[in-house]
Amino acid sequence: MAPEIVNGKMYCQAVDWYAFGILLYELIYGRTPFSQTDDICQIFKKISVGKILFPRVFDKDAKSLIKKLKNVDLTKRYGHIKNSKDLIKGHRFFKGLDWDELIL
């Protein structure tokens, strides 16, 4: 859940981009960024403040994109700011991906 949902605030499609960032983390690392604890209150606190730890072996380009997708500040979160689609598609994490060849 995105911070807006955890904090009971109004939300928009930016929550989906937040979730995409978390999904990328899970796909790359094999577990959630919140798996260090089973305490739901601690998990919600980490979500609310944007606290995610990245292992040292984490790909730097993936880390960069995930940080931009899961930013707590909506004015800076990819998926909410202007031209997000282009920013996401053009991010160095996707370097070499031919978007025209991708079947959606």
Side-chain angles (χ1 to χ4, degrees):
M1 287 189 283
E4 306 90 285
I5 296 172
V6 169
N7 295 320
K9 295 182 180 178
M10 296 286 292
Y11 59 89
C12 61
Q13 69 182 20
V15 299
D16 296 329
W17 289 106
Y18 179 94
F20 177 61
I22 299 302
L23 176 64
L24 276 179
Y25 183 105
E26 291 181 41
L27 291 171
I28 292 166
Y29 194 56
R31 57 182 159 190
T32 75
F34 311 109
S35 62
Q36 300 90 350
T37 182
D38 289 331
D39 182 352
I40 196 71
C41 292
Q42 288 297 319
I43 292 171
F44 283 178
K45 183 177 180 180
K46 287 180 180 183
I47 291 170
S48 294
V49 298
K51 182 79 171 167
I52 291 181
L53 300 176
F54 290 89
R56 288 184 190 166
V57 298
F58 214 91
D59 178 80
K60 65 180 173 120
D61 293 337
K63 181 178 177 179
S64 169
L65 178 59
I66 291 167
K67 283 184 169 188
K68 289 172 174 29
L69 290 167
K70 64 123 201 111
N71 198 315
V72 174
D73 183 349
L74 280 175
T75 65
K76 298 177 182 173
R77 185 183 304 162
Y78 277 20
H80 186 73
I81 60 176
K82 188 176 181 179
N83 299 322
S84 285
K85 179 180 167 184
D86 295 329
L87 291 170
I88 293 166
K89 288 173 64 175
H91 192 277
R92 64 184 180 262
F93 176 75
F94 293 116
K95 184 179 179 181
L97 176 65
D98 185 345
W99 289 96
D100 294 326
E101 293 292 320
L102 183 65
I103 298 173
L104 298 176

